[in-house]
Amino acid sequence: MGLITLNRPKAMNALNDDLSQEVIGVLKAFDGDASIGAIVLTGSEKAFAAGADIREMHEKSFVDMFNENYFSAWDVISTIRKPIIAAVNGFALGGGCELAMLCDFIIAGSNAKFGQPEIKLGILPGIGGSQRLTRLVGRSLAMDLILTGRLIDAQEAKACGLVARVVPPEELLSVALDAADKIASYSYPAVLLAKEAVNRAEEVSLSEGVRHERRLFQAAFATSGQKEGMAAFLEKREAVFSGR
């Protein structure tokens, strides 16, 4: 299990270029480390990430943003094959909310607040917020949050499908780490195949998605994990997966 903690306390973990490069570098390293089966990304009790770094952006022009392809570095997260859990306490706003949505699922402390308030700055989401939020919560609520800039609490976020679980803030990290450990205990190929299947559902028609899932399901029968998992079930014992 790999743990990444955002640590810019004076800026409430605002996302600047240095932070993005560091986080992405560690994610890629974890993805290539055979000893790590799942990853947890978290911030502080007050803020997962309160947004992108306004000080870094405010004087940039369109040409600056276009030439730098600003925010595009975060697209790398969608290529990470291992499951990533966002453990969110406090504020996850703007780029922080988008970073959480880039993860595979979100576990939130009951003190968490989510939102895309970029409209208050005269801009709009730029790390995929308009796209991922719409897919997760639906068009109407996405329009509401993006156009009004209002925030929602953890319970509303769970009710609308943005968040998978809500836990007491003091238990957040232990719950997220336990979830990562549980994922890492399973057959590594099966985990990767399952993540690929779920992600595919957002990209293709139902019939094509089902066909893709079926091929992945069939491919799982080429793994030692399938042999061990089914043998353990029939023998009424706990499975011990080798990671192959």
Side-chain angles (χ1 to χ4, degrees), residues 92-94 97 101 113-120 123-125 129-130 132-134 136-153 156-157 160-162:
L93 308 181
C97 185
M101 290 190 289
K113 299 283 188 182
F114 298 86
Q116 298 289 162
E118 290 91 344
I119 200 75
K120 297 180 180 181
I123 57 173
L124 66 155
S130 65
R132 292 188 178 88
L133 189 64
T134 302
L136 288 169
V137 309
R139 179 181 181 274
S140 184
L141 182 55
M143 282 287 194
D144 178 9
L145 297 180
I146 290 170
L147 294 181
T148 69
R150 77 176 180 93
L151 310 186
I152 59 174
D153 62 20
E156 185 174 355
C160 71
L162 177 59

PDB file of all heavy atoms in Angstrom, residues 92-94 97 101 113-120 123-125 129-130 132-134 136-153 156-157 160-162:
ATOM      1  N   ALA A  92     -12.441  20.166  -0.271  1.00  0.00           N
ATOM      2  CA  ALA A  92     -11.991  19.651  -1.567  1.00  0.00           C
ATOM      3  C   ALA A  92     -12.705  20.496  -2.607  1.00  0.00           C
ATOM      4  O   ALA A  92     -13.811  20.174  -3.056  1.00  0.00           O
ATOM      5  CB  ALA A  92     -12.335  18.178  -1.725  1.00  0.00           C
ATOM      6  N   LEU A  93     -12.100  21.620  -2.942  1.00  0.00           N
ATOM      7  CA  LEU A  93     -12.757  22.627  -3.767  1.00  0.00           C
ATOM      8  C   LEU A  93     -11.989  22.836  -5.070  1.00  0.00           C
ATOM      9  O   LEU A  93     -10.757  22.768  -5.086  1.00  0.00           O
ATOM     10  CB  LEU A  93     -12.848  23.957  -3.017  1.00  0.00           C
ATOM     11  CG  LEU A  93     -13.456  23.922  -1.621  1.00  0.00           C
ATOM     12  CD1 LEU A  93     -13.489  25.319  -1.035  1.00  0.00           C
ATOM     13  CD2 LEU A  93     -14.850  23.307  -1.651  1.00  0.00           C
ATOM     14  N   GLY A  94     -12.715  23.150  -6.138  1.00  0.00           N
ATOM     15  CA  GLY A  94     -12.069  23.439  -7.409  1.00  0.00           C
ATOM     16  C   GLY A  94     -11.147  22.304  -7.821  1.00  0.00           C
ATOM     17  O   GLY A  94     -11.558  21.151  -7.950  1.00  0.00           O
ATOM     18  N   CYS A  97     -11.342  19.225  -5.602  1.00  0.00           N
ATOM     19  CA  CYS A  97     -12.462  18.323  -5.908  1.00  0.00           C
ATOM     20  C   CYS A  97     -12.148  17.523  -7.166  1.00  0.00           C
ATOM     21  O   CYS A  97     -12.419  16.313  -7.230  1.00  0.00           O
ATOM     22  CB  CYS A  97     -13.741  19.136  -6.083  1.00  0.00           C
ATOM     23  SG  CYS A  97     -15.229  18.146  -6.311  1.00  0.00           S
ATOM     24  N   MET A 101     -11.801  13.483  -7.673  1.00  0.00           N
ATOM     25  CA  MET A 101     -12.558  12.739  -8.695  1.00  0.00           C
ATOM     26  C   MET A 101     -11.655  11.978  -9.652  1.00  0.00           C
ATOM     27  O   MET A 101     -12.097  11.007 -10.274  1.00  0.00           O
ATOM     28  CB  MET A 101     -13.467  13.688  -9.473  1.00  0.00           C
ATOM     29  CG  MET A 101     -14.631  14.222  -8.672  1.00  0.00           C
ATOM     30  SD  MET A 101     -15.867  15.115  -9.679  1.00  0.00           S
ATOM     31  CE  MET A 101     -14.949  16.612 -10.103  1.00  0.00           C
ATOM     32  N   LYS A 113     -16.115  19.074   2.667  1.00  0.00           N
ATOM     33  CA  LYS A 113     -16.918  19.970   1.837  1.00  0.00           C
ATOM     34  C   LYS A 113     -16.395  19.886   0.403  1.00  0.00           C
ATOM     35  O   LYS A 113     -15.186  19.980   0.178  1.00  0.00           O
ATOM     36  CB  LYS A 113     -16.804  21.419   2.320  1.00  0.00           C
ATOM     37  CG  LYS A 113     -17.285  21.655   3.742  1.00  0.00           C
ATOM     38  CD  LYS A 113     -18.798  21.692   3.816  1.00  0.00           C
ATOM     39  CE  LYS A 113     -19.252  22.120   5.206  1.00  0.00           C
ATOM     40  NZ  LYS A 113     -20.731  22.116   5.315  1.00  0.00           N
ATOM     41  N   PHE A 114     -17.312  19.728  -0.544  1.00  0.00           N
ATOM     42  CA  PHE A 114     -16.949  19.594  -1.948  1.00  0.00           C
ATOM     43  C   PHE A 114     -17.587  20.714  -2.762  1.00  0.00           C
ATOM     44  O   PHE A 114     -18.684  21.165  -2.465  1.00  0.00           O
ATOM     45  CB  PHE A 114     -17.419  18.249  -2.498  1.00  0.00           C
ATOM     46  CG  PHE A 114     -16.805  17.052  -1.830  1.00  0.00           C
ATOM     47  CD1 PHE A 114     -17.362  16.515  -0.672  1.00  0.00           C
ATOM     48  CD2 PHE A 114     -15.657  16.466  -2.347  1.00  0.00           C
ATOM     49  CE1 PHE A 114     -16.796  15.415  -0.053  1.00  0.00           C
ATOM     50  CE2 PHE A 114     -15.080  15.369  -1.728  1.00  0.00           C
ATOM     51  CZ  PHE A 114     -15.646  14.842  -0.573  1.00  0.00           C
ATOM     52  N   GLY A 115     -16.890  21.128  -3.817  1.00  0.00           N
ATOM     53  CA  GLY A 115     -17.476  22.127  -4.687  1.00  0.00           C
ATOM     54  C   GLY A 115     -16.565  22.504  -5.832  1.00  0.00           C
ATOM     55  O   GLY A 115     -15.364  22.196  -5.833  1.00  0.00           O
ATOM     56  N   GLN A 116     -17.162  23.152  -6.819  1.00  0.00           N
ATOM     57  CA  GLN A 116     -16.434  23.687  -7.985  1.00  0.00           C
ATOM     58  C   GLN A 116     -16.761  25.183  -8.063  1.00  0.00           C
ATOM     59  O   GLN A 116     -17.537  25.617  -8.916  1.00  0.00           O
ATOM     60  CB  GLN A 116     -16.860  22.968  -9.261  1.00  0.00           C
ATOM     61  CG  GLN A 116     -16.581  21.487  -9.296  1.00  0.00           C
ATOM     62  CD  GLN A 116     -15.110  21.113  -9.424  1.00  0.00           C
ATOM     63  OE1 GLN A 116     -14.702  20.003  -9.141  1.00  0.00           O
ATOM     64  NE2 GLN A 116     -14.288  22.060  -9.859  1.00  0.00           N
ATOM     65  N   PRO A 117     -16.150  25.990  -7.183  1.00  0.00           N
ATOM     66  CA  PRO A 117     -16.510  27.411  -7.112  1.00  0.00           C
ATOM     67  C   PRO A 117     -15.720  28.315  -8.043  1.00  0.00           C
ATOM     68  O   PRO A 117     -15.627  29.523  -7.820  1.00  0.00           O
ATOM     69  CB  PRO A 117     -16.210  27.743  -5.642  1.00  0.00           C
ATOM     70  CG  PRO A 117     -15.040  26.874  -5.308  1.00  0.00           C
ATOM     71  CD  PRO A 117     -15.244  25.595  -6.090  1.00  0.00           C
ATOM     72  N   GLU A 118     -15.150  27.757  -9.113  1.00  0.00           N
ATOM     73  CA  GLU A 118     -14.336  28.563 -10.029  1.00  0.00           C
ATOM     74  C   GLU A 118     -15.095  29.751 -10.613  1.00  0.00           C
ATOM     75  O   GLU A 118     -14.502  30.775 -10.955  1.00  0.00           O
ATOM     76  CB  GLU A 118     -13.797  27.691 -11.175  1.00  0.00           C
ATOM     77  CG  GLU A 118     -12.740  26.676 -10.784  1.00  0.00           C
ATOM     78  CD  GLU A 118     -13.311  25.326 -10.416  1.00  0.00           C
ATOM     79  OE1 GLU A 118     -14.553  25.237 -10.160  1.00  0.00           O
ATOM     80  OE2 GLU A 118     -12.552  24.351 -10.401  1.00  0.00           O
ATOM     81  N   ILE A 119     -16.421  29.625 -10.749  1.00  0.00           N
ATOM     82  CA  ILE A 119     -17.225  30.697 -11.330  1.00  0.00           C
ATOM     83  C   ILE A 119     -17.056  31.993 -10.553  1.00  0.00           C
ATOM     84  O   ILE A 119     -17.156  33.096 -11.113  1.00  0.00           O
ATOM     85  CB  ILE A 119     -18.717  30.268 -11.394  1.00  0.00           C
ATOM     86  CG1 ILE A 119     -19.498  31.115 -12.402  1.00  0.00           C
ATOM     87  CG2 ILE A 119     -19.357  30.269 -10.028  1.00  0.00           C
ATOM     88  CD1 ILE A 119     -19.216  30.773 -13.833  1.00  0.00           C
ATOM     89  N   LYS A 120     -16.762  31.890  -9.267  1.00  0.00           N
ATOM     90  CA  LYS A 120     -16.574  33.080  -8.433  1.00  0.00           C
ATOM     91  C   LYS A 120     -15.278  33.811  -8.775  1.00  0.00           C
ATOM     92  O   LYS A 120     -15.096  34.968  -8.374  1.00  0.00           O
ATOM     93  CB  LYS A 120     -16.570  32.692  -6.958  1.00  0.00           C
ATOM     94  CG  LYS A 120     -17.887  32.091  -6.479  1.00  0.00           C
ATOM     95  CD  LYS A 120     -17.823  31.716  -5.008  1.00  0.00           C
ATOM     96  CE  LYS A 120     -19.146  31.120  -4.528  1.00  0.00           C
ATOM     97  NZ  LYS A 120     -19.122  30.763  -3.095  1.00  0.00           N
ATOM     98  N   ILE A 123     -13.798  32.095 -13.889  1.00  0.00           N
ATOM     99  CA  ILE A 123     -13.311  30.989 -14.719  1.00  0.00           C
ATOM    100  C   ILE A 123     -14.225  29.780 -14.548  1.00  0.00           C
ATOM    101  O   ILE A 123     -15.317  29.898 -13.984  1.00  0.00           O
ATOM    102  CB  ILE A 123     -11.842  30.619 -14.380  1.00  0.00           C
ATOM    103  CG1 ILE A 123     -11.696  30.268 -12.892  1.00  0.00           C
ATOM    104  CG2 ILE A 123     -10.898  31.757 -14.759  1.00  0.00           C
ATOM    105  CD1 ILE A 123     -10.326  29.740 -12.509  1.00  0.00           C
ATOM    106  N   LEU A 124     -13.812  28.649 -15.022  1.00  0.00           N
ATOM    107  CA  LEU A 124     -14.562  27.404 -14.898  1.00  0.00           C
ATOM    108  C   LEU A 124     -13.588  26.279 -14.564  1.00  0.00           C
ATOM    109  O   LEU A 124     -12.378  26.486 -14.602  1.00  0.00           O
ATOM    110  CB  LEU A 124     -15.302  27.094 -16.202  1.00  0.00           C
ATOM    111  CG  LEU A 124     -14.472  26.783 -17.454  1.00  0.00           C
ATOM    112  CD1 LEU A 124     -15.295  25.925 -18.408  1.00  0.00           C
ATOM    113  CD2 LEU A 124     -14.033  28.063 -18.153  1.00  0.00           C
ATOM    114  N   PRO A 125     -14.076  25.099 -14.230  1.00  0.00           N
ATOM    115  CA  PRO A 125     -13.169  23.990 -13.931  1.00  0.00           C
ATOM    116  C   PRO A 125     -12.220  23.704 -15.095  1.00  0.00           C
ATOM    117  O   PRO A 125     -12.610  23.845 -16.264  1.00  0.00           O
ATOM    118  CB  PRO A 125     -14.109  22.808 -13.686  1.00  0.00           C
ATOM    119  CG  PRO A 125     -15.374  23.446 -13.223  1.00  0.00           C
ATOM    120  CD  PRO A 125     -15.488  24.723 -14.018  1.00  0.00           C
ATOM    121  N   GLY A 129     -13.372  18.893 -14.175  1.00  0.00           N
ATOM    122  CA  GLY A 129     -14.501  18.963 -13.251  1.00  0.00           C
ATOM    123  C   GLY A 129     -15.858  18.949 -13.928  1.00  0.00           C
ATOM    124  O   GLY A 129     -16.778  18.263 -13.474  1.00  0.00           O
ATOM    125  N   SER A 130     -16.007  19.692 -15.018  1.00  0.00           N
ATOM    126  CA  SER A 130     -17.304  19.735 -15.694  1.00  0.00           C
ATOM    127  C   SER A 130     -17.671  18.383 -16.287  1.00  0.00           C
ATOM    128  O   SER A 130     -18.858  18.053 -16.431  1.00  0.00           O
ATOM    129  CB  SER A 130     -17.295  20.803 -16.790  1.00  0.00           C
ATOM    130  OG  SER A 130     -16.374  20.459 -17.815  1.00  0.00           O
ATOM    131  N   ARG A 132     -16.198  15.079 -15.254  1.00  0.00           N
ATOM    132  CA  ARG A 132     -16.300  13.991 -14.265  1.00  0.00           C
ATOM    133  C   ARG A 132     -17.448  14.224 -13.292  1.00  0.00           C
ATOM    134  O   ARG A 132     -18.145  13.278 -12.916  1.00  0.00           O
ATOM    135  CB  ARG A 132     -14.970  13.834 -13.515  1.00  0.00           C
ATOM    136  CG  ARG A 132     -13.850  13.307 -14.399  1.00  0.00           C
ATOM    137  CD  ARG A 132     -12.588  12.957 -13.641  1.00  0.00           C
ATOM    138  NE  ARG A 132     -11.610  12.413 -14.580  1.00  0.00           N
ATOM    139  CZ  ARG A 132     -10.736  13.152 -15.265  1.00  0.00           C
ATOM    140  NH1 ARG A 132     -10.688  14.467 -15.080  1.00  0.00           N
ATOM    141  NH2 ARG A 132      -9.897  12.587 -16.118  1.00  0.00           N
ATOM    142  N   LEU A 133     -17.659  15.469 -12.872  1.00  0.00           N
ATOM    143  CA  LEU A 133     -18.764  15.739 -11.956  1.00  0.00           C
ATOM    144  C   LEU A 133     -20.097  15.399 -12.605  1.00  0.00           C
ATOM    145  O   LEU A 133     -20.971  14.789 -11.971  1.00  0.00           O
ATOM    146  CB  LEU A 133     -18.732  17.209 -11.520  1.00  0.00           C
ATOM    147  CG  LEU A 133     -19.705  17.597 -10.392  1.00  0.00           C
ATOM    148  CD1 LEU A 133     -19.346  16.863  -9.110  1.00  0.00           C
ATOM    149  CD2 LEU A 133     -19.697  19.103 -10.163  1.00  0.00           C
ATOM    150  N   THR A 134     -20.264  15.746 -13.871  1.00  0.00           N
ATOM    151  CA  THR A 134     -21.500  15.434 -14.581  1.00  0.00           C
ATOM    152  C   THR A 134     -21.722  13.927 -14.664  1.00  0.00           C
ATOM    153  O   THR A 134     -22.845  13.444 -14.472  1.00  0.00           O
ATOM    154  CB  THR A 134     -21.474  16.034 -15.995  1.00  0.00           C
ATOM    155  OG1 THR A 134     -21.287  17.452 -15.890  1.00  0.00           O
ATOM    156  CG2 THR A 134     -22.754  15.753 -16.751  1.00  0.00           C
ATOM    157  N   LEU A 136     -20.592  11.704 -12.587  1.00  0.00           N
ATOM    158  CA  LEU A 136     -20.781  11.138 -11.252  1.00  0.00           C
ATOM    159  C   LEU A 136     -22.122  11.506 -10.629  1.00  0.00           C
ATOM    160  O   LEU A 136     -22.763  10.666  -9.992  1.00  0.00           O
ATOM    161  CB  LEU A 136     -19.645  11.591 -10.329  1.00  0.00           C
ATOM    162  CG  LEU A 136     -18.274  10.957 -10.583  1.00  0.00           C
ATOM    163  CD1 LEU A 136     -17.193  11.687  -9.802  1.00  0.00           C
ATOM    164  CD2 LEU A 136     -18.291   9.478 -10.193  1.00  0.00           C
ATOM    165  N   VAL A 137     -22.555  12.758 -10.787  1.00  0.00           N
ATOM    166  CA  VAL A 137     -23.743  13.214 -10.061  1.00  0.00           C
ATOM    167  C   VAL A 137     -24.907  13.596 -10.968  1.00  0.00           C
ATOM    168  O   VAL A 137     -25.996  13.891 -10.476  1.00  0.00           O
ATOM    169  CB  VAL A 137     -23.405  14.403  -9.132  1.00  0.00           C
ATOM    170  CG1 VAL A 137     -22.212  14.080  -8.252  1.00  0.00           C
ATOM    171  CG2 VAL A 137     -23.145  15.698  -9.922  1.00  0.00           C
ATOM    172  N   GLY A 138     -24.686  13.616 -12.274  1.00  0.00           N
ATOM    173  CA  GLY A 138     -25.740  13.990 -13.206  1.00  0.00           C
ATOM    174  C   GLY A 138     -25.665  15.446 -13.632  1.00  0.00           C
ATOM    175  O   GLY A 138     -25.062  16.286 -12.964  1.00  0.00           O
ATOM    176  N   ARG A 139     -26.317  15.744 -14.758  1.00  0.00           N
ATOM    177  CA  ARG A 139     -26.228  17.064 -15.363  1.00  0.00           C
ATOM    178  C   ARG A 139     -26.795  18.160 -14.465  1.00  0.00           C
ATOM    179  O   ARG A 139     -26.208  19.235 -14.328  1.00  0.00           O
ATOM    180  CB  ARG A 139     -26.955  17.053 -16.700  1.00  0.00           C
ATOM    181  CG  ARG A 139     -26.959  18.393 -17.435  1.00  0.00           C
ATOM    182  CD  ARG A 139     -27.725  18.280 -18.753  1.00  0.00           C
ATOM    183  NE  ARG A 139     -27.736  19.538 -19.482  1.00  0.00           N
ATOM    184  CZ  ARG A 139     -28.630  20.515 -19.285  1.00  0.00           C
ATOM    185  NH1 ARG A 139     -29.577  20.362 -18.362  1.00  0.00           N
ATOM    186  NH2 ARG A 139     -28.573  21.622 -19.986  1.00  0.00           N
ATOM    187  N   SER A 140     -27.946  17.923 -13.866  1.00  0.00           N
ATOM    188  CA  SER A 140     -28.625  18.976 -13.118  1.00  0.00           C
ATOM    189  C   SER A 140     -27.807  19.447 -11.925  1.00  0.00           C
ATOM    190  O   SER A 140     -27.591  20.653 -11.735  1.00  0.00           O
ATOM    191  CB  SER A 140     -30.001  18.481 -12.653  1.00  0.00           C
ATOM    192  OG  SER A 140     -30.699  19.531 -12.002  1.00  0.00           O
ATOM    193  N   LEU A 141     -27.325  18.503 -11.117  1.00  0.00           N
ATOM    194  CA  LEU A 141     -26.546  18.900  -9.940  1.00  0.00           C
ATOM    195  C   LEU A 141     -25.198  19.469 -10.350  1.00  0.00           C
ATOM    196  O   LEU A 141     -24.712  20.426  -9.733  1.00  0.00           O
ATOM    197  CB  LEU A 141     -26.358  17.708  -8.995  1.00  0.00           C
ATOM    198  CG  LEU A 141     -25.600  18.015  -7.695  1.00  0.00           C
ATOM    199  CD1 LEU A 141     -26.242  19.155  -6.920  1.00  0.00           C
ATOM    200  CD2 LEU A 141     -25.502  16.758  -6.824  1.00  0.00           C
ATOM    201  N   ALA A 142     -24.592  18.913 -11.393  1.00  0.00           N
ATOM    202  CA  ALA A 142     -23.321  19.467 -11.871  1.00  0.00           C
ATOM    203  C   ALA A 142     -23.502  20.916 -12.309  1.00  0.00           C
ATOM    204  O   ALA A 142     -22.684  21.793 -11.983  1.00  0.00           O
ATOM    205  CB  ALA A 142     -22.776  18.630 -13.023  1.00  0.00           C
ATOM    206  N   MET A 143     -24.575  21.208 -13.035  1.00  0.00           N
ATOM    207  CA  MET A 143     -24.870  22.588 -13.430  1.00  0.00           C
ATOM    208  C   MET A 143     -25.045  23.473 -12.196  1.00  0.00           C
ATOM    209  O   MET A 143     -24.529  24.598 -12.140  1.00  0.00           O
ATOM    210  CB  MET A 143     -26.133  22.632 -14.288  1.00  0.00           C
ATOM    211  CG  MET A 143     -25.932  22.209 -15.724  1.00  0.00           C
ATOM    212  SD  MET A 143     -25.048  23.452 -16.693  1.00  0.00           S
ATOM    213  CE  MET A 143     -25.364  22.839 -18.348  1.00  0.00           C
ATOM    214  N   ASP A 144     -25.792  22.992 -11.234  1.00  0.00           N
ATOM    215  CA  ASP A 144     -26.028  23.741  -9.996  1.00  0.00           C
ATOM    216  C   ASP A 144     -24.713  24.106  -9.321  1.00  0.00           C
ATOM    217  O   ASP A 144     -24.439  25.278  -9.034  1.00  0.00           O
ATOM    218  CB  ASP A 144     -26.908  22.897  -9.067  1.00  0.00           C
ATOM    219  CG  ASP A 144     -27.192  23.550  -7.717  1.00  0.00           C
ATOM    220  OD1 ASP A 144     -26.867  24.738  -7.531  1.00  0.00           O
ATOM    221  OD2 ASP A 144     -27.756  22.863  -6.842  1.00  0.00           O
ATOM    222  N   LEU A 145     -23.859  23.109  -9.095  1.00  0.00           N
ATOM    223  CA  LEU A 145     -22.611  23.347  -8.366  1.00  0.00           C
ATOM    224  C   LEU A 145     -21.655  24.236  -9.155  1.00  0.00           C
ATOM    225  O   LEU A 145     -21.011  25.133  -8.586  1.00  0.00           O
ATOM    226  CB  LEU A 145     -21.941  22.016  -8.040  1.00  0.00           C
ATOM    227  CG  LEU A 145     -22.719  21.075  -7.115  1.00  0.00           C
ATOM    228  CD1 LEU A 145     -21.940  19.794  -6.872  1.00  0.00           C
ATOM    229  CD2 LEU A 145     -23.054  21.747  -5.799  1.00  0.00           C
ATOM    230  N   ILE A 146     -21.556  24.002 -10.452  1.00  0.00           N
ATOM    231  CA  ILE A 146     -20.584  24.752 -11.265  1.00  0.00           C
ATOM    232  C   ILE A 146     -21.059  26.173 -11.540  1.00  0.00           C
ATOM    233  O   ILE A 146     -20.263  27.120 -11.542  1.00  0.00           O
ATOM    234  CB  ILE A 146     -20.293  23.985 -12.567  1.00  0.00           C
ATOM    235  CG1 ILE A 146     -19.489  22.713 -12.251  1.00  0.00           C
ATOM    236  CG2 ILE A 146     -19.530  24.857 -13.561  1.00  0.00           C
ATOM    237  CD1 ILE A 146     -19.345  21.745 -13.408  1.00  0.00           C
ATOM    238  N   LEU A 147     -22.367  26.370 -11.725  1.00  0.00           N
ATOM    239  CA  LEU A 147     -22.867  27.703 -12.060  1.00  0.00           C
ATOM    240  C   LEU A 147     -23.118  28.579 -10.834  1.00  0.00           C
ATOM    241  O   LEU A 147     -23.023  29.807 -10.930  1.00  0.00           O
ATOM    242  CB  LEU A 147     -24.147  27.589 -12.885  1.00  0.00           C
ATOM    243  CG  LEU A 147     -23.988  26.959 -14.271  1.00  0.00           C
ATOM    244  CD1 LEU A 147     -25.323  26.930 -14.998  1.00  0.00           C
ATOM    245  CD2 LEU A 147     -22.937  27.695 -15.104  1.00  0.00           C
ATOM    246  N   THR A 148     -23.450  27.970  -9.693  1.00  0.00           N
ATOM    247  CA  THR A 148     -23.660  28.784  -8.483  1.00  0.00           C
ATOM    248  C   THR A 148     -22.423  28.852  -7.607  1.00  0.00           C
ATOM    249  O   THR A 148     -22.276  29.771  -6.811  1.00  0.00           O
ATOM    250  CB  THR A 148     -24.817  28.233  -7.626  1.00  0.00           C
ATOM    251  OG1 THR A 148     -24.425  26.968  -7.046  1.00  0.00           O
ATOM    252  CG2 THR A 148     -26.084  28.050  -8.455  1.00  0.00           C
ATOM    253  N   GLY A 149     -21.544  27.863  -7.731  1.00  0.00           N
ATOM    254  CA  GLY A 149     -20.353  27.824  -6.894  1.00  0.00           C
ATOM    255  C   GLY A 149     -20.610  27.371  -5.468  1.00  0.00           C
ATOM    256  O   GLY A 149     -19.735  27.467  -4.616  1.00  0.00           O
ATOM    257  N   ARG A 150     -21.824  26.850  -5.211  1.00  0.00           N
ATOM    258  CA  ARG A 150     -22.120  26.437  -3.840  1.00  0.00           C
ATOM    259  C   ARG A 150     -21.377  25.158  -3.473  1.00  0.00           C
ATOM    260  O   ARG A 150     -20.968  24.381  -4.350  1.00  0.00           O
ATOM    261  CB  ARG A 150     -23.620  26.263  -3.629  1.00  0.00           C
ATOM    262  CG  ARG A 150     -24.222  24.981  -4.198  1.00  0.00           C
ATOM    263  CD  ARG A 150     -25.702  24.885  -3.836  1.00  0.00           C
ATOM    264  NE  ARG A 150     -26.317  23.670  -4.375  1.00  0.00           N
ATOM    265  CZ  ARG A 150     -26.418  22.531  -3.690  1.00  0.00           C
ATOM    266  NH1 ARG A 150     -25.943  22.437  -2.459  1.00  0.00           N
ATOM    267  NH2 ARG A 150     -27.011  21.478  -4.239  1.00  0.00           N
ATOM    268  N   LEU A 151     -21.226  24.932  -2.183  1.00  0.00           N
ATOM    269  CA  LEU A 151     -20.548  23.746  -1.674  1.00  0.00           C
ATOM    270  C   LEU A 151     -21.571  22.744  -1.166  1.00  0.00           C
ATOM    271  O   LEU A 151     -22.675  23.107  -0.766  1.00  0.00           O
ATOM    272  CB  LEU A 151     -19.587  24.120  -0.546  1.00  0.00           C
ATOM    273  CG  LEU A 151     -18.614  25.272  -0.798  1.00  0.00           C
ATOM    274  CD1 LEU A 151     -17.637  25.396   0.374  1.00  0.00           C
ATOM    275  CD2 LEU A 151     -17.869  25.103  -2.110  1.00  0.00           C
ATOM    276  N   ILE A 152     -21.194  21.475  -1.161  1.00  0.00           N
ATOM    277  CA  ILE A 152     -22.025  20.438  -0.563  1.00  0.00           C
ATOM    278  C   ILE A 152     -21.221  19.719   0.509  1.00  0.00           C
ATOM    279  O   ILE A 152     -20.001  19.624   0.441  1.00  0.00           O
ATOM    280  CB  ILE A 152     -22.550  19.433  -1.603  1.00  0.00           C
ATOM    281  CG1 ILE A 152     -21.403  18.734  -2.351  1.00  0.00           C
ATOM    282  CG2 ILE A 152     -23.484  20.131  -2.583  1.00  0.00           C
ATOM    283  CD1 ILE A 152     -21.876  17.628  -3.295  1.00  0.00           C
ATOM    284  N   ASP A 153     -21.924  19.227   1.527  1.00  0.00           N
ATOM    285  CA  ASP A 153     -21.233  18.509   2.595  1.00  0.00           C
ATOM    286  C   ASP A 153     -21.083  17.037   2.239  1.00  0.00           C
ATOM    287  O   ASP A 153     -21.540  16.575   1.179  1.00  0.00           O
ATOM    288  CB  ASP A 153     -21.953  18.696   3.934  1.00  0.00           C
ATOM    289  CG  ASP A 153     -23.381  18.145   3.946  1.00  0.00           C
ATOM    290  OD1 ASP A 153     -23.722  17.293   3.093  1.00  0.00           O
ATOM    291  OD2 ASP A 153     -24.163  18.562   4.822  1.00  0.00           O
ATOM    292  N   GLU A 156     -24.398  14.992   1.535  1.00  0.00           N
ATOM    293  CA  GLU A 156     -24.993  15.240   0.220  1.00  0.00           C
ATOM    294  C   GLU A 156     -24.124  14.644  -0.874  1.00  0.00           C
ATOM    295  O   GLU A 156     -24.641  14.100  -1.864  1.00  0.00           O
ATOM    296  CB  GLU A 156     -25.197  16.735  -0.020  1.00  0.00           C
ATOM    297  CG  GLU A 156     -25.932  17.028  -1.323  1.00  0.00           C
ATOM    298  CD  GLU A 156     -26.280  18.481  -1.534  1.00  0.00           C
ATOM    299  OE1 GLU A 156     -26.039  19.300  -0.633  1.00  0.00           O
ATOM    300  OE2 GLU A 156     -26.810  18.800  -2.627  1.00  0.00           O
ATOM    301  N   ALA A 157     -22.805  14.731  -0.703  1.00  0.00           N
ATOM    302  CA  ALA A 157     -21.892  14.154  -1.692  1.00  0.00           C
ATOM    303  C   ALA A 157     -22.077  12.647  -1.800  1.00  0.00           C
ATOM    304  O   ALA A 157     -22.012  12.081  -2.901  1.00  0.00           O
ATOM    305  CB  ALA A 157     -20.451  14.492  -1.324  1.00  0.00           C
ATOM    306  N   CYS A 160     -25.495  11.812  -3.594  1.00  0.00           N
ATOM    307  CA  CYS A 160     -25.538  12.035  -5.046  1.00  0.00           C
ATOM    308  C   CYS A 160     -24.539  11.165  -5.801  1.00  0.00           C
ATOM    309  O   CYS A 160     -24.472  11.226  -7.025  1.00  0.00           O
ATOM    310  CB  CYS A 160     -25.311  13.512  -5.368  1.00  0.00           C
ATOM    311  SG  CYS A 160     -23.641  14.124  -5.087  1.00  0.00           S
ATOM    312  N   GLY A 161     -23.741  10.372  -5.095  1.00  0.00           N
ATOM    313  CA  GLY A 161     -22.840   9.443  -5.766  1.00  0.00           C
ATOM    314  C   GLY A 161     -21.425   9.933  -5.962  1.00  0.00           C
ATOM    315  O   GLY A 161     -20.604   9.235  -6.565  1.00  0.00           O
ATOM    316  N   LEU A 162     -21.112  11.108  -5.431  1.00  0.00           N
ATOM    317  CA  LEU A 162     -19.740  11.612  -5.548  1.00  0.00           C
ATOM    318  C   LEU A 162     -18.800  10.869  -4.609  1.00  0.00           C
ATOM    319  O   LEU A 162     -17.628  10.639  -4.932  1.00  0.00           O
ATOM    320  CB  LEU A 162     -19.724  13.118  -5.249  1.00  0.00           C
ATOM    321  CG  LEU A 162     -18.375  13.832  -5.259  1.00  0.00           C
ATOM    322  CD1 LEU A 162     -17.693  13.708  -6.616  1.00  0.00           C
ATOM    323  CD2 LEU A 162     -18.548  15.307  -4.878  1.00  0.00           C
TER     324      LEU A 162
END
